[in-house]
Protein backbone atom coordinates (compact mmCIF):
# COMPACT_ATOMS: atom_id res chain seq x y z
CA UNK A 1 0.00 0.00 0.00
CA UNK A 2 1.43 3.35 -1.06
CA UNK A 3 0.64 6.98 -0.25
CA UNK A 4 1.73 9.49 -2.91
CA UNK A 5 2.93 13.02 -2.08
CA UNK A 6 1.55 15.42 -4.70
CA UNK A 7 1.50 19.18 -5.21
CA UNK A 8 2.64 21.96 -7.51
CA UNK A 9 6.38 22.31 -8.11
CA UNK A 10 8.29 23.98 -5.26
CA UNK A 11 5.78 23.56 -2.41
CA UNK A 12 8.04 21.35 -0.24
CA UNK A 13 7.17 17.83 -1.42
CA UNK A 14 10.72 16.50 -1.77
CA UNK A 15 11.86 18.15 1.48
CA UNK A 16 8.92 16.47 3.24
CA UNK A 17 9.74 13.14 1.58
CA UNK A 18 13.36 13.43 2.73
CA UNK A 19 12.50 13.96 6.37
CA UNK A 20 9.90 11.16 6.28
CA UNK A 21 12.15 8.56 4.75
CA UNK A 22 15.65 9.92 5.33
CA UNK A 23 16.17 8.95 1.69
CA UNK A 24 17.76 12.08 0.32
CA UNK A 25 15.59 12.96 -2.66
CA UNK A 26 16.96 15.98 -4.48
CA UNK A 27 15.16 19.15 -3.43
CA UNK A 28 15.95 22.49 -5.02
CA UNK A 29 14.45 25.90 -5.64
CA UNK A 30 13.19 25.22 -9.17
CA UNK A 31 10.33 23.23 -10.74
CA UNK A 32 10.65 19.63 -11.99
CA UNK A 33 13.40 18.77 -9.57
CA UNK A 34 11.74 15.38 -9.03
CA UNK A 35 11.15 13.50 -12.27
CA UNK A 36 11.20 9.79 -11.45
CA UNK A 37 9.09 9.08 -8.36
CA UNK A 38 11.19 8.35 -5.27
CA UNK A 39 9.83 5.61 -3.01
CA UNK A 40 10.63 5.56 0.70
CA UNK A 41 9.73 2.76 3.11
CA UNK A 42 8.89 4.61 6.32
CA UNK A 43 8.61 3.16 9.84
CA UNK A 44 5.27 3.84 11.54
CA UNK A 45 5.98 5.44 14.97
CA UNK A 46 4.11 3.36 17.58
CA UNK A 47 4.73 3.76 21.35
CA UNK A 48 3.04 0.36 21.95
CA UNK A 49 5.99 -1.36 20.28
CA UNK A 50 8.40 0.24 22.76
CA UNK A 51 6.26 -0.94 25.68
CA UNK A 52 6.14 -4.53 24.37
CA UNK A 53 9.92 -4.43 23.92
CA UNK A 54 10.35 -3.46 27.59
CA UNK A 55 8.11 -6.33 28.73
CA UNK A 56 9.47 -9.08 26.44
CA UNK A 57 13.12 -8.00 26.01
CA UNK A 58 13.42 -9.60 22.53
CA UNK A 59 16.53 -9.98 20.35
CA UNK A 60 15.08 -7.57 17.80
CA UNK A 61 12.14 -5.23 17.21
CA UNK A 62 10.53 -4.63 13.82
CA UNK A 63 8.01 -1.76 13.33
CA UNK A 64 5.22 -1.59 10.75
CA UNK A 65 6.06 0.37 7.60
CA UNK A 66 4.25 2.45 5.00
CA UNK A 67 5.43 3.24 1.46
CA UNK A 68 5.60 6.95 0.62
CA UNK A 69 6.03 8.00 -3.02
CA UNK A 70 7.37 11.45 -3.96
CA UNK A 71 5.76 12.34 -7.30
CA UNK A 72 6.92 15.03 -9.76
CA UNK A 73 5.32 18.48 -9.40
CA UNK A 74 2.19 18.94 -11.47
CA UNK A 75 1.44 21.96 -13.66
CA UNK A 76 -1.61 23.31 -15.50
CA UNK A 77 -2.33 21.24 -18.59
CA UNK A 78 -0.91 18.00 -17.13
CA UNK A 79 -4.07 16.10 -18.12
CA UNK A 80 -3.25 17.04 -21.72
CA UNK A 81 0.39 15.97 -21.32
CA UNK A 82 1.91 19.37 -20.35
CA UNK A 83 5.10 19.27 -18.27
CA UNK A 84 5.51 15.73 -16.98
CA UNK A 85 1.73 15.32 -17.01
CA UNK A 86 1.17 11.81 -18.33
CA UNK A 87 3.98 10.37 -16.24
CA UNK A 88 2.74 12.18 -13.13
CA UNK A 89 -0.83 10.95 -13.60
CA UNK A 90 0.38 7.40 -14.23
CA UNK A 91 2.43 7.49 -11.02
CA UNK A 92 -0.41 8.87 -8.93
CA UNK A 93 -2.84 6.26 -10.29
CA UNK A 94 -0.59 3.56 -8.81
CA UNK A 95 -0.89 4.94 -5.26
CA UNK A 96 -3.66 4.11 -2.77
CA UNK A 97 -3.96 7.49 -1.03
CA UNK A 98 -2.89 11.06 -1.71
CA UNK A 99 -0.92 13.43 0.54
CA UNK A 100 -1.56 16.79 -1.13
CA UNK A 101 1.06 19.36 -0.05
CA UNK A 102 -0.06 22.99 -0.16
CA UNK A 103 2.24 25.96 0.33
CA UNK A 104 0.92 27.97 3.27
CA UNK A 105 3.90 30.23 3.98
CA UNK A 106 5.28 33.52 2.65
CA UNK A 107 8.96 33.57 1.65
CA UNK A 108 10.30 35.79 -1.12
CA UNK A 109 13.38 33.56 -1.44
CA UNK A 110 11.35 30.51 -2.53
CA UNK A 111 9.79 31.07 -5.94
CA UNK A 112 6.18 30.07 -6.50
CA UNK A 113 5.38 28.61 -9.90
CA UNK A 114 2.38 31.00 -10.19
CA UNK A 115 4.13 34.04 -8.72
CA UNK A 116 2.15 34.38 -5.47
CA UNK A 117 1.05 32.32 -2.45
CA UNK A 118 -2.54 31.07 -2.70
CA UNK A 119 -3.14 27.51 -1.44
CA UNK A 120 -6.74 27.40 -2.67
CA UNK A 121 -5.71 28.31 -6.23
CA UNK A 122 -2.94 25.69 -6.00
CA UNK A 123 -5.39 23.06 -4.74
CA UNK A 124 -7.85 23.92 -7.52
CA UNK A 125 -5.10 23.66 -10.18
CA UNK A 126 -4.23 20.12 -9.13
CA UNK A 127 -7.84 19.07 -8.50
CA UNK A 128 -8.82 20.25 -11.97
CA UNK A 129 -6.06 18.26 -13.67
CA UNK A 130 -6.98 15.12 -11.75
CA UNK A 131 -10.69 15.66 -12.40
CA UNK A 132 -10.06 16.13 -16.15
CA UNK A 133 -8.19 12.82 -16.20
CA UNK A 134 -11.09 11.11 -14.39
CA UNK A 135 -13.55 12.74 -16.80
CA UNK A 136 -11.64 11.10 -19.65
CA UNK A 137 -12.07 7.72 -17.91
CA UNK A 138 -15.83 8.29 -17.42
CA UNK A 139 -16.38 9.31 -21.05
CA UNK A 140 -14.55 6.26 -22.41
CA UNK A 141 -16.59 3.95 -20.19
CA UNK A 142 -19.85 5.74 -21.03
CA UNK A 143 -19.36 5.08 -24.76
CA UNK A 144 -19.34 1.33 -24.13
CA UNK A 145 -22.11 1.30 -21.54
CA UNK A 146 -24.52 3.43 -23.62
CA UNK A 147 -24.53 0.85 -26.41
CA UNK A 148 -25.53 -1.91 -23.98
CA UNK A 149 -28.09 0.35 -22.24
CA UNK A 150 -29.85 1.01 -25.59
CA UNK A 151 -30.52 -2.73 -25.99
CA UNK A 152 -32.57 -2.62 -22.76
CA UNK A 153 -29.92 -4.19 -20.52
CA UNK A 154 -31.10 -3.18 -17.02
CA UNK A 155 -27.65 -3.46 -15.42
CA UNK A 156 -26.12 -1.29 -18.16
CA UNK A 157 -28.87 1.31 -17.68
CA UNK A 158 -28.11 1.42 -13.96
CA UNK A 159 -24.40 1.84 -14.68
CA UNK A 160 -25.11 4.54 -17.27
CA UNK A 161 -27.10 6.56 -14.68
CA UNK A 162 -24.17 6.35 -12.22
CA UNK A 163 -21.62 7.34 -14.86
CA UNK A 164 -23.74 10.32 -15.96
CA UNK A 165 -23.87 11.46 -12.32
CA UNK A 166 -20.06 11.19 -12.16
CA UNK A 167 -19.68 13.09 -15.44
CA UNK A 168 -21.92 15.90 -14.22
CA UNK A 169 -20.05 16.13 -10.91
CA UNK A 170 -16.59 16.15 -12.48
CA UNK A 171 -17.64 18.77 -15.03
CA UNK A 172 -18.77 20.93 -12.08
CA UNK A 173 -15.33 20.60 -10.46
CA UNK A 174 -16.31 18.02 -7.82
CA UNK A 175 -13.93 15.15 -7.09
CA UNK A 176 -15.32 11.60 -7.33
CA UNK A 177 -14.93 11.02 -3.57
CA UNK A 178 -17.30 13.95 -2.89
CA UNK A 179 -20.03 13.04 -5.45
CA UNK A 180 -23.14 11.63 -3.73
CA UNK A 181 -23.59 8.09 -5.03
CA UNK A 182 -25.41 5.14 -3.46
CA UNK A 183 -22.91 2.89 -1.63
CA UNK A 184 -23.81 -0.27 -3.62
CA UNK A 185 -23.47 1.58 -6.94
CA UNK A 186 -20.17 3.03 -5.78
CA UNK A 187 -18.87 -0.46 -4.99
CA UNK A 188 -20.12 -1.96 -8.25
CA UNK A 189 -19.55 0.79 -10.83
CA UNK A 190 -17.15 3.38 -9.35
CA UNK A 191 -14.47 1.42 -7.46
CA UNK A 192 -13.44 -0.83 -10.40
CA UNK A 193 -12.57 2.27 -12.51
CA UNK A 194 -9.91 3.39 -9.98
CA UNK A 195 -10.55 7.11 -10.31
CA UNK A 196 -7.69 9.31 -9.13
CA UNK A 197 -10.04 11.71 -7.31
CA UNK A 198 -11.74 8.80 -5.52
CA UNK A 199 -8.58 8.05 -3.54
CA UNK A 200 -8.61 9.17 0.10
CA UNK A 201 -6.76 12.47 0.51
CA UNK A 202 -5.02 14.38 3.26
CA UNK A 203 -4.09 18.03 2.77
CA UNK A 204 -0.68 18.85 4.25
CA UNK A 205 -0.39 22.59 4.91
CA UNK A 206 3.31 23.48 4.73
CA UNK A 207 3.70 26.45 7.09
CA UNK A 208 6.54 28.60 8.50
CA UNK A 209 8.08 27.92 11.92
CA UNK A 210 5.87 30.45 13.73
CA UNK A 211 2.71 28.72 12.48
CA UNK A 212 3.78 25.12 13.26
CA UNK A 213 1.55 24.86 16.35
CA UNK A 214 -1.36 27.21 15.66
CA UNK A 215 -1.56 27.30 11.85
CA UNK A 216 -2.25 30.59 10.01
CA UNK A 217 -4.73 32.37 7.71
CA UNK A 218 -3.79 30.10 4.78
CA UNK A 219 -4.51 26.96 6.85
CA UNK A 220 -7.93 28.37 7.81
CA UNK A 221 -8.66 28.97 4.11
CA UNK A 222 -7.77 25.35 3.31
CA UNK A 223 -9.94 23.97 6.15
CA UNK A 224 -12.89 26.02 4.92
CA UNK A 225 -12.35 24.94 1.29
CA UNK A 226 -12.26 21.19 2.06
CA UNK A 227 -14.90 20.99 4.79
CA UNK A 228 -17.34 19.06 2.54
CA UNK A 229 -14.70 16.72 1.18
CA UNK A 230 -14.36 14.23 4.04
CA UNK A 231 -10.60 14.92 3.97
CA UNK A 232 -8.09 15.44 6.74
CA UNK A 233 -5.97 18.60 7.09
CA UNK A 234 -2.56 18.39 8.75
CA UNK A 235 -0.35 21.40 9.62
CA UNK A 236 3.38 20.82 9.16
CA UNK A 237 6.39 23.14 9.10
CA UNK A 238 8.35 21.11 6.55
CA UNK A 239 11.53 23.22 6.90
CA UNK A 240 11.58 22.61 10.67
CA UNK A 241 10.89 18.90 10.15
CA UNK A 242 13.94 18.73 7.88
CA UNK A 243 16.09 20.37 10.59
CA UNK A 244 14.78 17.93 13.23
CA UNK A 245 15.49 14.95 10.95
CA UNK A 246 19.13 16.08 10.67
CA UNK A 247 19.67 15.80 14.45
CA UNK A 248 21.07 12.41 15.49
CA UNK A 249 20.90 12.97 19.27
CA UNK A 250 17.50 12.20 20.87
CA UNK A 251 17.85 14.85 23.60
CA UNK A 252 18.80 17.52 21.05
CA UNK A 253 15.68 16.63 19.07
CA UNK A 254 13.49 16.92 22.17
CA UNK A 255 14.96 20.34 23.04
CA UNK A 256 14.41 21.54 19.47
CA UNK A 257 10.78 20.33 19.59
CA UNK A 258 10.17 22.06 22.93
CA UNK A 259 11.60 25.32 21.57
CA UNK A 260 9.14 25.21 18.68
CA UNK A 261 6.26 24.15 20.97
CA UNK A 262 5.75 20.62 19.59
CA UNK A 263 5.41 17.42 21.64
CA UNK A 264 6.67 15.19 18.79
CA UNK A 265 7.84 15.67 15.21
CA UNK A 266 4.93 16.52 12.89
CA UNK A 267 6.31 13.90 10.50
CA UNK A 268 5.42 11.18 13.05
CA UNK A 269 1.81 12.42 13.08
CA UNK A 270 1.82 12.49 9.28
CA UNK A 271 3.06 8.89 8.97
CA UNK A 272 0.43 7.63 11.41
CA UNK A 273 -2.27 9.64 9.60
CA UNK A 274 -1.12 8.23 6.21
CA UNK A 275 -1.27 4.70 7.66
CA UNK A 276 -4.84 5.35 8.82
CA UNK A 277 -5.69 6.98 5.48
CA UNK A 278 -4.65 3.74 3.76
CA UNK A 279 -7.20 1.93 5.98
CA UNK A 280 -4.46 -0.01 7.75
CA UNK A 281 -4.03 -1.18 11.32
CA UNK A 282 -1.42 -3.04 13.36
CA UNK A 283 -1.31 -6.33 15.20
CA UNK A 284 1.74 -7.61 17.09
CA UNK A 285 3.62 -10.84 17.57
CA UNK A 286 5.72 -10.95 20.74
CA UNK A 287 8.41 -13.52 21.59
CA UNK A 288 12.00 -13.68 22.79
CA UNK A 289 13.35 -13.74 19.21
CA UNK A 290 11.39 -10.69 18.08
CA UNK A 291 8.60 -8.27 18.84
CA UNK A 292 7.06 -7.21 15.56
CA UNK A 293 4.28 -4.98 14.27
CA UNK A 294 2.38 -6.39 11.29
CA UNK A 295 0.13 -4.44 8.94
CA UNK A 296 -3.36 -5.60 7.99
CA UNK A 297 -6.36 -3.85 6.47
CA UNK A 298 -9.06 -2.75 8.87
CA UNK A 299 -11.65 -5.55 8.86
CA UNK A 300 -9.15 -8.37 8.17
CA UNK A 301 -9.94 -11.85 9.57
CA UNK A 302 -7.54 -13.90 11.68
CA UNK A 303 -6.52 -16.16 8.72
CA UNK A 304 -5.85 -13.07 6.56
CA UNK A 305 -3.68 -11.65 9.34
CA UNK A 306 -1.82 -14.97 9.54
CA UNK A 307 -1.27 -14.84 5.77
CA UNK A 308 0.66 -11.58 6.16
CA UNK A 309 3.37 -13.57 7.98
CA UNK A 310 3.34 -16.48 5.50
CA UNK A 311 0.80 -17.83 3.00
CA UNK A 312 1.09 -21.30 4.66
CA UNK A 313 -0.18 -19.78 7.91
CA UNK A 314 -3.38 -18.74 6.11
CA UNK A 315 -3.78 -22.00 4.15
CA UNK A 316 -3.37 -24.23 7.20
CA UNK A 317 -4.95 -21.88 9.77
CA UNK A 318 -6.33 -23.71 12.81
CA UNK A 319 -6.82 -20.98 15.39
CA UNK A 320 -5.40 -17.71 16.73
CA UNK A 321 -4.47 -17.08 20.34
CA UNK A 322 -5.26 -13.41 20.98
CA UNK A 323 -4.35 -11.02 23.80
CA UNK A 324 -5.45 -7.39 23.73
CA UNK A 325 -2.53 -4.93 23.98
CA UNK A 326 -4.12 -3.42 27.12
CA UNK A 327 -4.25 -6.84 28.86
CA UNK A 328 -0.67 -7.64 27.85
CA UNK A 329 0.55 -4.40 29.44
CA UNK A 330 -1.72 -4.77 32.50
CA UNK A 331 -0.56 -8.32 33.36
CA UNK A 332 3.00 -7.94 32.08
CA UNK A 333 3.51 -11.28 30.31
CA UNK A 334 1.76 -13.93 28.23
CA UNK A 335 1.92 -16.42 31.12
CA UNK A 336 0.20 -13.99 33.50
CA UNK A 337 -2.45 -13.17 30.90
CA UNK A 338 -3.22 -16.92 30.63
CA UNK A 339 -3.39 -17.24 34.41
CA UNK A 340 -5.91 -14.39 34.50
CA UNK A 341 -8.00 -16.16 31.84
CA UNK A 342 -7.62 -13.26 29.41
CA UNK A 343 -6.16 -15.16 26.43
CA UNK A 344 -8.80 -15.57 23.71
CA UNK A 345 -8.82 -18.57 21.35
CA UNK A 346 -10.33 -17.40 18.06
CA UNK A 347 -11.37 -19.15 14.85
CA UNK A 348 -11.56 -18.22 11.17
CA UNK A 349 -14.32 -15.64 11.60
CA UNK A 350 -12.45 -13.47 14.11
CA UNK A 351 -11.97 -9.85 12.98
CA UNK A 352 -8.57 -8.51 14.03
CA UNK A 353 -8.54 -5.44 16.28
CA UNK A 354 -5.84 -2.77 16.20
CA UNK A 355 -3.24 -3.65 18.85
CA UNK A 356 -4.04 -7.38 19.17
CA UNK A 357 -1.06 -9.50 20.22
CA UNK A 358 -1.49 -12.73 18.23
CA UNK A 359 -0.06 -16.22 18.01
CA UNK A 360 -1.20 -18.54 15.22
CA UNK A 361 -1.66 -22.31 15.18
CA UNK A 362 -1.56 -23.83 11.72
CA UNK A 363 -0.99 -27.13 9.95
CA UNK A 364 0.05 -27.56 6.30
Amino acid sequence: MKAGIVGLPNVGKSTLFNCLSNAKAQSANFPFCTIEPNIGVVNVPDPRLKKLEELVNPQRVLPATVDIVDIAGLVKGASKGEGLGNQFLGNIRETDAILHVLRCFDNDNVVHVDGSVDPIRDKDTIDMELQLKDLETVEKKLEKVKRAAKTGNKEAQKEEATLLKLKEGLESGISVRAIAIDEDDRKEFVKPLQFITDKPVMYVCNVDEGSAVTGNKYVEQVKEAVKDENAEVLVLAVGIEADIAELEDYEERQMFLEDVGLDEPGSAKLIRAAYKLLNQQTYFTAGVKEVRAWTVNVGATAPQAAGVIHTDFEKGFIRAEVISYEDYVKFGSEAKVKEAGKLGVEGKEYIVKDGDVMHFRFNV
Side-chain angles (χ1 to χ4, degrees):
M1 299 286 276
K2 290 188 278 199
I5 301 178
V6 307
L8 288 175
N10 251 13
V11 295
K13 299 185 309 303
S14 294
T15 308
L16 174 61
F17 175 82
N18 286 338
C19 54
L20 290 179
S21 66
N22 288 332
K24 298 296 177 202
Q26 188 192 5
S27 64
N29 190 11
F30 55 88
F32 298 129
C33 187
T34 309
I35 297 174
E36 288 300 322
N38 294 295
I39 299 180
V41 181
V42 182
N43 290 341
V44 178
D46 193 332
R48 296 174 301 183
L49 203 56
K50 187 85 185 132
K51 189 69 189 164
L52 288 172
E53 182 185 5
E54 287 167 14
L55 294 171
V56 179
N57 195 23
Q59 290 167 21
R60 64 176 186 163
V61 178
L62 292 169
T65 60
V66 62
D67 286 0
I68 304 284
V69 188
D70 178 24
I71 295 168
L74 187 71
V75 293
K76 276 182 193 143
S79 56
K80 301 283 178 256
E82 290 289 323
L84 299 162
N86 292 330
Q87 189 178 342
F88 170 97
L89 293 159
N91 292 334
I92 196 173
R93 202 179 283 286
E94 287 166 22
T95 64
D96 304 285
I98 295 171
L99 308 176
H100 187 159
V101 181
L102 294 166
R103 177 171 169 175
C104 293
F105 66 89
D106 293 305
N107 184 340
D108 294 340
N109 295 322
V110 181
V111 293
H112 189 291
V113 74
D114 286 329
S116 62
V117 177
D118 184 343
I120 308 308
R121 177 200 58 211
D122 296 355
K123 174 192 172 303
D124 290 346
T125 297
I126 290 213
D127 282 353
M128 188 174 71
E129 296 305 328
L130 302 184
Q131 287 159 5
L132 286 169
K133 205 66 189 166
D134 281 349
L135 191 55
E136 228 176 77
T137 306
V138 170
E139 285 168 345
K140 276 181 194 163
K141 186 69 177 172
L142 256 175
E143 276 175 41
K144 293 177 189 168
V145 173
K146 273 180 174 170
R147 286 196 289 272
K150 275 179 186 165
T151 65
N153 181 319
K154 290 273 185 287
E155 191 67 5
Q157 287 171 349
K158 201 175 169 193
E159 185 171 8
E160 182 186 22
T162 302
L163 291 170
L164 286 169
K165 208 180 267 188
L166 286 173
K167 185 174 186 286
E168 189 186 330
L170 286 162
E171 284 173 343
S172 307
I174 304 169
S175 291
V176 171
R177 76 181 80 82
I179 298 171
I181 287 169
D182 174 83
E183 208 43 55
D184 289 340
D185 292 344
R186 189 172 275 279
K187 207 175 280 180
E188 195 175 347
F189 305 126
V190 181
K191 291 289 175 199
L193 293 173
Q194 293 182 298
F195 291 108
I196 300 174
T197 66
D198 196 30
K199 295 178 192 292
V201 67
M202 176 164 60
Y203 294 99
V204 182
C205 295
N206 182 10
V207 298
D208 56 279
E209 181 180 338
S211 309
V213 178
T214 55
N216 57 26
K217 62 176 182 181
Y218 296 128
V219 174
E220 294 312 311
Q221 288 167 13
V222 172
K223 285 180 177 172
E224 180 60 27
V226 306
K227 67 178 192 296
D228 300 326
E229 252 193 72
N230 190 25
E232 216 172 310
V233 177
L234 193 85
V235 178
L236 208 66
V238 174
I240 294 291
E241 295 296 322
D243 291 341
I244 293 168
E246 293 291 327
L247 297 172
E248 300 287 329
D249 184 72
Y250 174 77
E251 282 180 13
E252 274 186 39
R253 277 186 178 204
Q254 291 310 111
M255 279 168 63
F256 195 133
L257 286 166
E258 279 171 30
D259 285 348
V260 185
L262 297 170
D263 52 357
E264 67 171 341
S267 53
K269 288 179 185 159
L270 175 64
I271 295 161
R272 283 199 297 271
Y275 192 68
K276 203 170 149 197
L277 198 64
L278 290 163
N279 199 34
Q280 300 196 312
Q281 63 179 359
T282 301
Y283 77 86
F284 302 100
T285 51
V288 287
K289 279 193 175 171
E290 70 173 27
V291 164
R292 183 165 182 167
W294 300 88
T295 299
V296 286
N297 284 339
V298 173
T301 61
Q304 286 169 336
V308 173
I309 298 175
H310 197 289
T311 50
D312 284 352
F313 282 32
E314 185 171 2
K315 280 182 203 154
F317 179 90
I318 298 169
R319 66 177 184 271
E321 293 168 4
V322 183
I323 303 168
S324 77
Y325 169 77
E326 287 74 16
D327 283 340
Y328 205 109
V329 170
K330 181 180 173 185
F331 295 103
S333 73
E334 192 175 320
K336 286 183 178 162
V337 169
K338 281 179 183 170
E339 275 173 36
K342 291 288 185 180
L343 182 136
V345 178
E346 306 291 352
K348 290 181 178 178
E349 305 303 312
Y350 179 72
I351 302 296
V352 178
K353 296 182 189 70
D354 186 58
D356 279 349
V357 182
M358 305 183 83
H359 183 73
F360 300 103
R361 302 287 178 186
F362 71 103
N363 183 23
V364 176

